[in-house]
């Protein structure tokens, strides 16, 4: 484990904090402040322990051109952060990706960020899989420490990689199996059951790229087209009408998956079972989310869409850990070293 901010000598120091404040915006306002709230404990700790200045930096989106600057400015994020934590010693730097050096892990940009600061704290778990100036290079310039969220994420996700209580059930959904192949192989290979839903179930049915057998849907909610109001009916997987698409797992599958999940002692869930943004195709995802919540298990939900589902259903507090990382949580569970973590001296 990287050394904790709790062990740092903070009194009278100026601290640069890298947080992951890459949040969704809607009409120029923060649409979901989960990541901002998750960054508060570390900032509060630094202020409580007498830091004279705390400068927070983060990327937002993937700005490409000059015109993207208005769209990806951190101002709305800063407004929300100040509502949650009003302290004059706190400041928010501009989107790190406005500097072309950031994504190249440019040491000159890292020196610019470090300039005037005494310490660096990385709390950006969601960006820890990126070797960028603000997550990696800067950790070699200032004395570096891990923030509380980063440590919490490593501990909670890391538990899945150690000895787990069984049955250990992994539920994977979403669109592309390629994106999840590594985690399915690494973590799924250690699970007792692997349940596949979402669009990737079709791919796996045609050809299972994994080295072990998985559970697949037996029925789907089939739709005449990819549209919210498309004609739809429940169909067995071998009798989906010609040209129709499966937009959710069917009720029989939802019940079977729910029963398996409910009896699990350890659960990792990544990716929705269907197009849950459309209520007619949300039942499968909802059934899985409810089973995860009901299970008397150590349960972890990671990855943007399943996290959104569990939050929208109001079930987040019945899950052991809801990760703030998408790609970062998958890479960690693939067994990869995260550059943002590796750059911090060990405890
Ligand atoms: C995320 O939201 O996945 C992280 O903030 C990383 O963003 P990125 O994929 O643009 O590097
Ligand atoms: Mg991402």
């Amino acid at each position: 484990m990287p050394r904790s901010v709790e062990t740092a000598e903070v009194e009278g120091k100026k601290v640069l904090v890298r947080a992951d404040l890459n949040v969704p915006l809607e009409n120029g306002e923060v649409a979901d402040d989960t990541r901002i709230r998750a960054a508060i404990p570390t900032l509060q700790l630094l202020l409580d322990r007498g830091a004279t200045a705390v400068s927070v930096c983060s990327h937002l989106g993937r700005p490409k051109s000059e015109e993207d600057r208005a769209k990806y400015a951190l101002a709305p994020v800063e407004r929300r952060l100040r509502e949650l934590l009003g302290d004059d010693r706190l400041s928010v730097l501009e989107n790190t990706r406005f500097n072309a050096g950031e994504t190249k892990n440019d040491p000159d940009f890292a020196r610019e960020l470090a300039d005037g600061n005494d310490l660096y704290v990385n709390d950006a778990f969601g960006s820890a899989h990126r070797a960028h100036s603000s997550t990696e290079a800067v950790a070699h310039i200032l004395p570096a420490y891990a923030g509380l969220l980063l440590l919490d994420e490593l501990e909670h996700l890391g538990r899945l990689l150690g000895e787990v209580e069984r049955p250990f059930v992994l539920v994977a959904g979403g669109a592309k199996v390629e994106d999840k192949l590594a985690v399915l192989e690494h973590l799924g290979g250690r699970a007792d059951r692997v349940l596949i839903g979402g669009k990737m179930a079709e791919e796996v049915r045609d050809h299972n790229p994994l080295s072990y057998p998985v559970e697949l849907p037996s029925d789907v909610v089939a739709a005449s087209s990819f549209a919210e109001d498309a004609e739809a009916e429940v169909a067995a997987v071998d009798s989906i009408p010609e040209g129709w698409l499966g937009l959710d797992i069917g009720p029989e599958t939802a019940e079977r998956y729910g029963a398996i999940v409910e009896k699990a002692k350890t659960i990792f869930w990544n990716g929705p079972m269907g197009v849950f943004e459309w209520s007619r195709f949300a039942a499968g995802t909802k059934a899985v989310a409810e089973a995860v919540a009901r299970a008397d298990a150590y349960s972890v939900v990671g990855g943007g869409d399943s996290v959104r589902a569990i939050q929208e259903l109001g079930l987040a507090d019945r899950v052991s850990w809801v990760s703030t990382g998408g790609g970062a949580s998958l890479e960690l569970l693939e067994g990869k070293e995260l550059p943002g973590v590796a750059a911090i001296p060990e405890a």
Side-chain angles (χ1 to χ4, degrees):
M1 289 291 262
R3 66 183 179 185
S4 168
V5 62
E6 291 196 278
T7 66
E9 196 55 69
V10 169
E11 171 100 51
K13 300 279 172 60
K14 292 184 172 146
V15 187
L16 173 71
V17 178
R18 174 52 155 106
D20 188 334
L21 307 179
N22 182 30
V23 297
L25 300 179
E26 257 166 47
N27 306 318
E29 291 300 327
V30 171
D32 174 7
D33 67 359
T34 306
R35 281 180 164 176
I36 303 177
R37 283 184 287 107
I40 301 288
T42 291
L43 302 176
Q44 189 72 65
L45 176 135
L46 292 167
L47 295 166
D48 289 348
R49 295 204 177 168
T52 52
V54 175
S55 308
V56 187
C57 68
S58 175
H59 76 285
L60 178 65
R62 294 177 178 175
K64 294 202 169 62
S65 60
E66 284 294 313
E67 294 84 78
D68 279 350
R69 290 197 172 223
K71 192 166 150 203
Y72 293 116
L74 268 173
V77 173
E78 176 170 10
R79 276 200 295 280
R80 183 71 191 118
L81 179 58
R82 286 197 184 284
E83 281 167 16
L84 295 165
L85 191 58
D87 191 296
D88 291 342
R89 290 169 293 163
L90 190 70
S91 62
V92 179
L93 307 184
E94 194 40 284
N95 189 341
T96 50
R97 288 189 186 167
F98 286 177
N99 188 301
E102 163 74 339
T103 55
K104 301 190 183 92
N105 204 16
D106 175 12
D108 290 333
F109 180 48
R111 273 188 284 275
E112 228 177 88
L113 288 168
D115 198 34
N117 290 290
D118 305 305
L119 297 178
Y120 167 72
V121 175
N122 188 356
D123 206 22
F125 175 72
S127 307
H129 58 317
R130 307 288 180 217
H132 293 172
S133 300
S134 68
T135 60
E136 209 280 337
V138 70
H140 303 293
I141 297 169
L142 291 171
Y145 294 85
L148 302 174
L149 173 66
L150 181 72
L151 291 167
D152 257 359
E153 291 271 14
L154 294 177
E155 196 186 307
H156 283 99
L157 291 164
R159 244 178 96 169
L160 298 173
L161 295 169
E163 279 299 317
V164 295
E165 235 194 296
R166 293 181 181 275
F168 174 16
V169 174
L170 192 151
V171 188
K176 283 205 201 120
V177 73
E178 304 95 83
D179 294 354
K180 314 239 164 114
L181 209 51
V183 82
L184 282 170
E185 205 48 71
H186 192 79
L187 193 62
R190 305 174 57 244
D192 298 294
R193 306 289 278 275
V194 175
L195 318 181
I196 308 274
K199 188 160 183 292
M200 73 176 181
E202 286 163 41
E203 280 177 71
V204 177
R205 182 186 315 284
D206 290 346
H207 164 73
N208 181 0
L210 301 161
S211 64
Y212 55 83
V214 297
E215 302 283 334
L216 288 166
S218 51
D219 62 342
V220 297
V221 180
S224 58
S225 67
F226 190 80
E228 195 167 1
D229 59 357
E231 200 184 324
E233 66 186 39
V234 173
V237 284
D238 53 9
S239 53
I240 299 171
E242 184 71 36
W244 284 38
L245 311 156
L247 296 191
D248 193 11
I249 56 173
E252 185 184 285
T253 306
E255 204 186 309
R256 176 162 55 96
Y257 283 13
I260 295 170
V261 168
E262 207 178 321
K263 286 192 228 84
K265 282 288 166 201
T266 305
I267 302 165
F268 177 65
W269 177 29
N270 174 290
M273 298 293 101
V275 191
F276 81 97
E277 306 88 291
W278 296 338
S279 60
R280 295 168 70 220
F281 306 106
T285 301
K286 191 166 174 227
V288 165
E290 283 169 348
V292 173
R294 263 199 314 275
D296 180 20
Y298 179 68
S299 53
V300 178
V301 181
D305 287 332
S306 28
V307 168
R308 217 180 103 196
I310 206 104
Q311 259 153 3
E312 282 177 12
L313 292 164
L315 298 171
D317 58 0
R318 293 176 59 195
V319 173
S320 310
W321 185 250
V322 178
S323 180
T324 56
S329 63
L330 291 182
E331 288 198 23
L332 182 75
L333 295 173
E334 277 165 29
K336 280 196 195 152
E337 183 175 74
L338 303 178
V341 175
I344 303 167
E346 275 176 49

